[in-house]
Amino acid sequence: MRDAVGSFVGWPSDLIFPDAETPTRPTHKVGKGISRRIESVASQKEVPGRELKSAAKDIPTTSGTKSQIMMRLEKMVEVSDIMHGAIRTINFDEGVFGAAHFEIIGKEDFQQLFEHTELGIAVIHTYIWYMYVTLMRGTELCNRFNFIAASRINATLITNNPTSVKNDLVDIFMAADDNTTPSLYFLPFNSGNGGHWVLVAMDLSRLIVYYLDSLSGDWSKYPNMKKTVDAAIIKFRLKKKYRNRKDITWIRVQCPQQNNSVDCGFFVLRFMRDIIALNRIDIPKMYFEEYKTYSRANLDEIKDELCQFIVDQRII
């Protein structure tokens, strides 16, 4: 048996059933880098930030068509073992989510990019990794913007064990060195069962929670989520012995709206990208003048940036 360790165990691709929206993949201490082996699925001082690199630089892109970088990545995937059910394990920088984290990415995840379909958690997390590496790492922006993994706080987990989720959120808040200076905690929140993505951005110092939803309505659609977030913030402040100067204020931001049933994940990524790039802790209720609407080209830019990042990181 010892000789078999590390060998490839074939597994038919039609027997692979990834749960992209509400995974419970563990986050444990692993070395940085990307596992390229084949695996079986059984296993308010403004701080100037970096400009986001344009993945489409020198690459002609037409809205609704595939860019050269996307076609290049698509070809790489087509000739790889990923098309036959293999996966890649990606080890994130610890700074992304404040602890060691790995993500598993496979054929279905790449198809979400190539075919512009609803995004699952692996793509959401990988683009967050891209933003951290490209825009934040090594700058003071790391003290102003924090990411919470959607695999730790989502509707399914809250329904099953709200107390555990609340305590997990408190632990995330407690891990920060300083929560008295304005900063934002980004939580890409999924309604569960392959459902809708919204962005919850929490400013613990000012007791403000921004709610960004690319569909109509507000947080009342997810009362258990709001209850859990409020309870976590209150418990965190009690543990820190902060005075609760006022009630927690939720703000429904009038953000750009999607016009189909698949773009919510792309919008959530674009929300985070623009807030960080503009270096804004305070999100205007009417959103930013620069981005009143998102065109298909704005969303395609997200895909091109991620495709270029995947190529550069040699994930395939």
Side-chain angles (χ1 to χ4, degrees):
M1 178 174 289
R2 181 169 57 244
D3 294 335
V5 174
S7 64
F8 167 53
V9 179
W11 196 264
S13 60
D14 60 336
L15 295 182
I16 299 172
F17 302 97
D19 184 356
E21 295 296 337
T22 56
T24 55
R25 295 167 182 162
T27 55
H28 60 270
K29 189 77 173 179
V30 290
K32 295 181 180 179
I34 300 164
S35 172
R36 298 182 56 78
R37 61 189 172 88
I38 306 173
E39 303 179 39
S40 69
V41 171
S43 59
Q44 148 128 241
K45 177 182 178 181
E46 294 300 319
V47 181
R50 298 173 180 168
E51 286 188 20
L52 279 170
K53 297 177 181 177
S54 175
K57 184 178 181 182
D58 299 325
I59 300 175
T61 303
T62 304
S63 178
T65 64
K66 294 181 179 179
S67 66
Q68 292 180 16
I69 186 59
M70 179 175 289
M71 289 188 292
R72 177 185 174 190
L73 178 60
E74 189 170 22
K75 183 63 176 178
M76 292 171 65
V77 172
E78 286 176 355
V79 300
S80 75
D81 49 26
I82 290 175
M83 293 301 293
H84 304 288
I87 57 175
R88 297 293 185 269
T89 300
I90 311 172
N91 300 318
F92 289 12
D93 300 55
E94 290 192 12
V96 178
F97 294 119
H101 179 92
F102 74 87
E103 202 64 55
I104 295 174
I105 191 167
K107 176 182 175 181
E108 293 81 2
D109 303 304
F110 289 107
Q111 288 176 331
Q112 292 164 14
L113 288 177
F114 302 152
E115 300 173 11
H116 196 95
T117 59
E118 296 178 15
L119 296 184
I121 201 165
V123 176
I124 295 288
H125 282 174
T126 305
Y127 188 81
I128 287 175
W129 180 35
Y130 158 78
M131 287 190 291
Y132 174 81
V133 170
T134 306
L135 188 62
M136 295 172 55
R137 187 169 63 186
T139 77
E140 292 191 35
L141 291 176
C142 290
N143 298 323
R144 293 170 64 80
F145 302 103
N146 310 273
F147 300 108
I148 299 173
S151 53
R152 298 179 69 176
I153 316 290
N154 56 60
T156 301
L157 295 178
I158 290 174
T159 298
N160 293 337
N161 197 337
T163 300
S164 176
V165 174
K166 178 191 69 176
N167 292 336
D168 198 13
L169 195 51
V170 172
D171 290 341
I172 292 171
F173 296 155
M174 293 293 292
D177 294 331
D178 178 20
N179 278 305
T180 60
T181 302
S183 63
L184 286 180
Y185 283 83
F186 290 125
L187 169 61
F189 180 80
N190 189 268
S191 62
N193 299 320
H196 183 55
W197 288 100
V198 301
L199 179 63
V200 178
M202 296 163 275
D203 182 343
L204 302 184
S205 66
R206 297 185 297 171
L207 290 177
I208 294 175
V209 180
Y210 298 99
Y211 179 87
L212 293 87
D213 190 342
S214 55
L215 293 177
S216 59
D218 60 17
W219 51 83
S220 62
K221 294 187 292 185
Y222 312 111
N224 291 337
M225 179 272 289
K226 182 181 184 300
K227 181 179 178 180
T228 301
V229 169
D230 286 346
I233 293 175
I234 291 171
K235 183 175 181 179
F236 159 73
R237 293 185 65 84
L238 289 174
K239 292 187 72 171
K240 282 286 192 177
K241 295 183 170 47
Y242 294 154
R243 289 183 303 148
N244 287 310
R245 304 185 307 273
K246 57 181 180 179
D247 294 333
I248 300 169
T249 300
W250 283 67
I251 298 175
R252 203 296 190 195
V253 178
Q254 302 300 311
C255 53
Q257 300 289 283
Q258 66 187 84
N259 58 10
N260 58 31
S261 61
V262 302
D263 278 349
C264 56
F266 293 102
F267 272 66
V268 164
L269 295 179
R270 187 79 204 197
F271 293 152
M272 290 188 287
R273 178 194 191 277
D274 293 339
I275 293 167
I276 296 171
L278 292 171
N279 196 14
R280 293 287 298 273
I281 299 298
D282 57 318
I283 305 174
K285 185 174 182 179
M286 301 308 293
Y287 205 55
F288 304 110
E289 288 295 330
E290 296 90 336
Y291 301 107
K292 288 298 186 182
T293 61
Y294 287 151
S295 66
R296 177 58 185 268
N298 293 138
L299 305 186
D300 287 345
E301 188 175 11
I302 295 289
K303 293 186 294 184
D304 289 344
E305 289 170 346
L306 186 51
C307 287
Q308 184 68 65
F309 184 67
I310 289 171
V311 171
D312 291 344
Q313 295 293 319
R314 300 181 180 180
I315 291 175
I316 307 301

